Amino acid sequence: MSRSRLQEAAVHLVLWVAVLFALYPVMWVTTQALSGGGATEGRIIPWPATPSLDHFTAVIGRVTDEGVWLFGLQLLNSVVVSAATALTAIGIATPAAYALSRFRFVGAEGATRTLLATQMFPGVAASIPLYLLLDGAGLLDTRTGLVLVYATSAVPFAIFQLRGAFDAIPRELEEAAMVDGATRFVAFVRVVLPAVRPALAITALFAFMSAWNEFILAATFLTSEDLYTLPILLNRYASEHDSNFGHFAAGAIVVSVPVMLLFYALQRQLVSGLTAGGVKG
Amino acid sequence: MASLSLQGIQKSLGGQPILRGVDLEVATGELVVLVGPSGCGKSTLLRTVAGLESPDGGVVRIGARDVTRLPPRDRDLAMVFQSYALYPHLTVRENLAFGLKLRGTSAATITERTDEVAQMLGLGPLLDRFPRDMSGGQRQRVAMGRAIVRRPSLFLFDEPLSNLDAALRADVRVEIKRLHQRLGATMLYVTHDQVEAMTLASRLVVLRAGQVEQVGPPLEVYARPVSRFVAAFLGSPAMNFLEADLGSGRLRAPGLDVVVPQPAVGGDVPGPVLVGIRAHDVVPAKGARADVRLRVEVLEAMGFEAYAHGHVGDAPFVARLEGDAARGITVGDELGLDVAAGSVHLFDRQTGRTLR
Ligand SMILES: Nc1ncnc2c1ncn2[C@@H]1O[C@H](COP(=O)(O)OP(=O)(O)O)[C@@H](O)[C@H]1O
Ligand SMILES: [Mg+2]
C-alpha cells in the first residue's frame, strides 16, 4: 500500500519545519555576520539588510598597534594547541589502552575505574590545583602548559575510547601475525593499529575539538593576547564593554569552519569508526 | 618438514588445570587429528605448540629442537585459526605475502610463491580483494594459503572447517587431505567433529579433559575404543548403551538377552556391566527369539537406509536398518534385532573402561 501524496507532503512539511528549527540560529548568526552596520535586531527572516563582509575583514584583519597580525597568531595558537592536544592524547592513550585491553596486570581494573572516575569531574573543578601546578612548573601563560592541561582530560577519555576499539579486535589477529613471524610490537604496529585506524581518527578528532572549543581554562591560564586561542577572542566580542555582535557572529563562523572541514575530511572514518565492531578477520 | 613431540604438557588457565600431562608424537609428514568435545583443551594444546601459550610443565620439540621457550615466530610453524584471522586491512595478496615479507624474503620469491599458492588453491581471481569482500569459504582458502605459502616445517589447524556450511565442509575436507598428500607436510589438526577426525587422520588422538584418552589409526580406535567415552564420541548415531548383568555366558537386561561373544570377556566375572551396541551392528532377527527387543517410537526412512529410534527396556536405542528391512515396520512395533557377531562392547559401569 503506497502512501498518498498528501501524506507524503505532510511528512516533508514536518521535516522541513524541524530542519528550519535546527538551522534558524545558524542562519541568524550568518545573517549577523554578513550584515553591514549595526545589529539587525527585530528581523524575523534571517537575511542581511545591507550585505557586506565588513565584519569578516575586521575580525580576520585585526592587527596590533605594532602591526602584528593578531588574528593569524591566535588562529595559529588554536591550531597548534588543539593539534598538540590530539597528538599527546593519542600518543599516550594508544599504548595505555592496548595494555589495558590485552594484558592482565595488578591494578588494571583499578586503573580503568579511576580513569572513568576522572571523567565525572568537570575540568574546571581542577582549575585551581592545575593553576598551582602550572605556576610551580613555570608553565602559566604558555601554550605548552595549556596543552598539558587539556591532555589531562583528553587522555583518560581517549584511553577509554581506544580500549573499546582494541577489545573489538580479535586477539587471534595479532597472534596470527606473531606466528607469521612478527614480534608483539611489530604485530601491534602492522596489524592492530591499522585495524583501529577509524577509532584513532575519531579519538583524535574529539581531542582536537574539545581543545579547539575550550574557553574557561584557556582564559584562566593565558594572559598574553598573543597567546590567546580563538574562543577567548570570540568572548571578547560578546563581553559587556567592547561588544560587537556582528564581529562575534563573523568570528563564530570563522572558528567553526576548520572543525567542519575536519569532519568532512574524516567522514568516512567516522562512519566506519561507529561500526568498528565489524572489524573481523 | 619436521616431527613434533610433546612430553608431559601441563597448563592451567584461571586456576583451572586445562592440560594435565599430554604426551603426543607426530611423525614427519604425518597428519594427526586431535579430537575431543568442546572445552577439553584442544585449542589450548595447539596454542601451546604454537607458542601462544607457554606450558606450566613439559617439553615441546619440533624436529630435534626444544622450542618450549621460543616465541611463535622462531618455531617455523604456521597456524590456521578457526576464525581465519585474516588481516582485514590487507588484500589477499598482501595477506599471503605478510609472513614472507616479515622474514625478509625477496620480492621476486614472494611473487613466485604467492602465485604458486594462488594457483594451487584457486585464489587467482581474489588476489586484489579484501577479506571483507569474500565469502566464508574463500576466506578459509586464504587462511590456508597464508599457511602454505610460508612452507613451514609444521602446520597447525584449529577447527578450520567449523565456520563452513555442511556441503562446503565436505569439499574442503577432501581438499585438505589432498594438500597433505601433495605437500607431504607434518600436520596437527584439531576438531570436535568426529567425521572430520575419522576421514582425515592417519592417526587419531582422543583428548578428554586435558588428557590423552586413546591414540591410534581412526578405524582401530573406532573398532576398539578403550572406554565408554571414546566409544560414545566416535560414530554417528552415537553408540547405544544398556546396563546389563553378566552371568553364565549371557548378558541380560530388560529387552536384552545376548551371548557374550568374545571369549573370556571381562574375565567372565558375573555382575553388572555396561553393554555398548552401535546402531549399524544390528539386523532384524530371523526367528522368534531375538538378542534385542526395540520398541519403535520414531522411524526415519531415507530409502536406502532407515533409523528406528525407541527404547530397549528403559534405555534409549537407535537401530540402523537396510532399506528393505525397514519396510513394513510401523511406529509402536516391537522389533526383534540380532547383534552382529563380535560387535558387542562391554564397559565397566563404574570406571567406563572397556572390559577385555
Ligand atoms: N584464558 C582462559 N582463562 C580461563 N579458562 C580458559 C581460558 N581459555 C580457555 N579456558 C578454558 O579452558 C578449557 C579448554 O579450552 P579450549 O582449549 O579452548 O577447549 P577446546 O578448544 O577443546 O574447545 C575451557 O573449559 C575454557 O573455558
Ligand atoms: Mg577450540
Side-chain angles (χ1 to χ4, degrees):
Chain A
M1 206 179 79
S2 71
R3 284 189 294 187
S4 73
R5 297 194 78 108
L6 199 68
Q7 272 173 317
E8 195 104 333
V11 168
H12 278 261
L13 188 72
V14 170
L15 290 178
W16 272 110
V17 170
V19 169
L20 210 64
F21 186 75
L23 286 185
Y24 189 78
V26 179
M27 295 190 293
W28 199 78
V29 167
T30 315
T31 305
Q32 290 284 327
L34 291 174
S35 300
T40 46
E41 276 159 43
R43 289 172 63 91
I44 293 182
I45 297 171
W47 197 255
T50 47
S52 95
L53 291 173
D54 289 351
H55 292 307
F56 283 96
T57 46
V59 168
I60 293 175
R62 185 149 172 255
V63 289
T64 60
D65 301 337
E66 296 92 52
V68 177
W69 184 33
L70 205 56
F71 177 84
L73 256 184
Q74 293 172 342
L75 176 67
L76 188 69
N77 289 337
S78 264
V79 170
V80 167
V81 166
S82 305
T85 302
L87 285 179
T88 310
I90 292 293
I92 296 176
T94 305
Y98 183 68
L100 284 174
S101 165
R102 287 299 193 264
F103 304 117
R104 290 180 175 208
F105 50 90
V106 179
E109 273 314 304
T112 311
R113 271 192 223 116
T114 312
L115 286 179
L116 191 59
T118 61
Q119 293 299 295
M120 316 232 171
F121 293 98
V124 188
S127 57
I128 291 175
L130 283 173
Y131 190 94
L132 295 177
L133 282 173
L134 286 187
D135 193 21
L139 288 174
L140 272 181
D141 200 23
T142 63
R143 282 173 294 209
T144 313
L146 194 60
V147 169
L148 284 179
V149 166
Y150 287 164
T152 57
S153 66
V155 166
F157 182 69
I159 292 179
F160 226 71
Q161 287 264 96
L162 292 178
R163 189 196 165 160
F166 286 129
D167 282 347
I169 305 291
R171 275 162 192 267
E172 292 187 347
L173 224 52
E174 62 221 80
E175 289 177 348
M178 281 156 64
V179 171
D180 255 356
T183 59
R184 181 171 274 283
F185 181 73
V186 170
F188 174 69
V189 172
R190 310 253 319 239
V191 173
V192 180
L193 277 189
V196 295
R197 207 166 44 196
L200 286 175
I202 288 199
T203 309
L205 183 62
F206 276 29
F208 185 94
M209 268 172 42
S210 59
W212 183 265
N213 292 328
E214 204 285 329
F215 163 67
I216 296 179
L217 293 174
T220 311
F221 298 132
L222 299 179
T223 42
S224 321
E225 206 173 12
D226 60 351
L227 291 177
Y228 279 3
T229 52
L230 291 177
I232 310 181
L233 169 80
L234 275 191
N235 181 62
R236 276 293 182 82
Y237 292 130
S239 63
E240 291 189 14
H241 48 254
D242 196 21
S243 88
N244 183 329
F245 272 120
H247 282 21
F248 175 78
I253 290 171
V254 171
V255 170
S256 308
V257 165
V259 176
M260 282 167 66
L261 289 182
L262 258 184
F263 253 103
Y264 279 119
L266 293 175
Q267 201 171 31
R268 236 172 54 92
Q269 304 275 3
L270 287 176
V271 171
S272 51
L274 295 177
T275 58
V279 180
K280 273 214 175 137
Chain B
M1 292 308 135
S3 60
L4 169 70
S5 161
L6 303 181
Q7 282 155 14
I9 299 295
Q10 294 180 343
K11 178 74 187 174
S12 293
L13 288 171
Q16 293 287 335
I18 306 296
L19 301 174
R20 321 172 189 214
V22 175
D23 298 323
L24 177 63
E25 303 286 331
V26 183
T28 305
E30 196 180 18
L31 199 176
V32 167
V33 175
L34 188 66
V35 69
S38 268
C40 71
K42 305 180 299 289
S43 294
T44 308
L45 187 65
L46 211 60
R47 292 165 54 81
T48 305
V49 175
L52 297 169
E53 305 276 0
S54 64
D56 301 333
V59 178
V60 181
R61 279 206 182 77
I62 295 175
R65 288 193 305 157
D66 179 346
V67 300
T68 317
R69 301 286 151 209
L70 291 184
R73 63 179 182 280
D74 295 332
R75 297 191 178 202
D76 190 25
L77 48 79
M79 181 156 171
V80 177
F81 291 82
Q82 185 169 6
S83 63
Y84 314 141
L86 301 181
Y87 310 125
H89 61 294
L90 299 181
T91 62
V92 170
R93 189 192 300 280
E94 292 162 340
N95 263 279
L96 294 178
F98 187 82
L100 295 173
K101 244 184 218 164
L102 281 180
R103 285 162 203 272
T105 314
S106 76
T109 313
I110 292 178
T111 312
E112 184 189 317
R113 293 238 213 130
T114 45
D115 286 351
E116 180 193 88
V117 167
Q119 166 82 27
M120 193 188 300
L121 295 174
L123 293 174
L126 304 176
L127 280 174
D128 293 316
R129 288 218 210 156
F130 286 95
R132 61 175 172 274
D133 301 326
M134 293 190 296
S135 70
Q138 291 170 330
R139 289 181 202 185
Q140 205 278 338
R141 273 161 191 280
V142 176
M144 300 226 297
R146 192 173 64 180
I148 293 168
V149 79
R150 287 204 7 239
R151 301 187 183 166
S153 50
L154 173 65
F155 285 89
L156 305 176
F157 295 88
D158 192 357
E159 312 213 16
L161 308 186
S162 59
N163 290 331
L164 302 180
D165 63 53
L168 201 53
R169 207 179 300 164
D171 290 347
V172 181
R173 209 167 62 212
V174 174
E175 196 165 336
I176 289 180
K177 190 143 195 172
R178 194 171 285 146
L179 269 175
H180 172 247
Q181 288 164 359
R182 175 168 172 185
L183 301 171
T186 314
M187 296 181 172
L188 181 57
Y189 186 106
V190 158
T191 179
H192 71 270
D193 181 314
Q194 45 121 353
V195 178
E196 257 168 63
M198 294 295 294
T199 51
L200 279 175
S202 22
R203 247 170 0 115
L204 202 62
V205 177
V206 183
L207 199 65
R208 174 190 189 183
Q211 277 176 317
V212 174
E213 181 92 348
Q214 188 169 5
V215 181
L219 292 177
E220 168 100 17
V221 175
Y222 180 80
R224 277 185 283 282
V226 299
S227 65
R228 176 193 177 155
F229 175 84
V230 177
F233 190 75
L234 296 179
S236 171
M239 184 182 276
N240 303 297
F241 294 99
L242 304 162
E243 294 191 343
D245 285 307
L246 177 63
S248 50
R250 298 193 80 80
L251 291 159
R252 289 201 181 83
L256 176 78
D257 183 1
V258 62
V259 173
V260 178
Q262 296 91 336
V265 156
D268 212 0
V269 180
V273 293
L274 193 68
V275 174
I277 301 171
R278 291 203 189 275
H280 59 247
D281 283 338
V282 294
V283 289
K286 296 274 186 327
R289 81 151 294 286
D291 294 340
V292 175
R293 302 209 162 269
L294 169 66
R295 284 193 314 281
V296 180
E297 288 153 14
V298 174
L299 198 64
E300 294 178 303
M302 285 171 277
F304 64 100
E305 63 177 358
Y307 289 95
H309 300 256
H311 281 83
V312 171
D314 291 335
F317 197 100
V318 186
R320 178 191 173 276
L321 304 167
E322 298 291 329
D324 291 341
R327 265 184 260 285
I329 300 173
T330 52
V331 169
D333 284 357
E334 188 172 83
L335 190 58
L337 299 167
D338 283 341
V339 183
S343 52
V344 172
H345 300 261
L346 288 187
F347 306 94
D348 186 297
R349 265 201 221 173
Q350 260 77 50
T351 64
R353 309 310 293 180
T354 299
L355 298 170
R356 294 188 200 275

